[in-house]
Amino acid sequence: MTRPGVGGPQARHELPSIDAAALTAARWADRVLRAAEERGVERWRAYLAPIPEQLRDAGLRDLRAAALRARAAYGPKDSLRDALPEEVAEPFRDALDLLLKELARHEARR
């Protein structure tokens, strides 16, 4: 592990705003996954299945990839919003957007 400011990647736990945003997104991902299972929406269930764990445990590079993959579920023509209730789909999207903003802020500071 590299110390902050020495040039290498930081551990996620050293970046509390990113870690908190990722854990919030993971909790919403759990809810969205549960809603997809309850509604029998297999396509979205399969697509989202790995996302909660990735949001909980991934390092920074993999965290960005997981967030972008989850965010891609909100497309203009084929969207998670169309398959699941707004009360879970929208907060998940918002949590992902916040996480991606925190990651971008971190990258901009580096």
Side-chain angles (χ1 to χ4, degrees):
M1 181 183 328
T2 304
R3 291 187 326 260
V6 178
Q10 289 179 290
R12 190 171 131 176
H13 72 273
E14 295 175 342
L15 303 165
S17 63
I18 290 174
D19 197 42
L23 293 174
T24 297
R27 285 189 293 276
W28 279 108
D30 286 332
R31 292 178 186 130
V32 166
L33 186 56
R34 200 166 34 253
E37 290 169 350
E38 289 169 359
R39 289 178 170 253
V41 185
E42 178 58 26
R43 176 175 171 259
W44 287 118
R45 191 215 56 78
Y47 184 84
L48 296 168
I51 300 294
E53 195 63 30
Q54 292 170 347
L55 292 172
R56 271 190 276 285
D57 295 331
L60 291 180
R61 183 180 319 133
D62 294 336
L63 180 59
R64 177 183 302 285
L68 288 171
R69 177 172 168 79
R71 189 61 174 86
Y74 293 87
K77 293 183 181 182
D78 187 22
S79 179
L80 190 62
R81 282 185 298 240
D82 299 331
L84 299 178
E86 181 179 326
E87 58 268 11
V88 292
E90 298 300 317
F92 181 45
R93 183 205 59 206
D94 295 345
L96 291 168
D97 288 348
L98 177 62
L99 173 57
L100 290 167
K101 283 180 188 176
E102 289 297 330
L103 288 165
R105 282 186 193 123
H106 172 69
E107 285 299 314
R109 285 190 296 259
R110 293 183 74 199

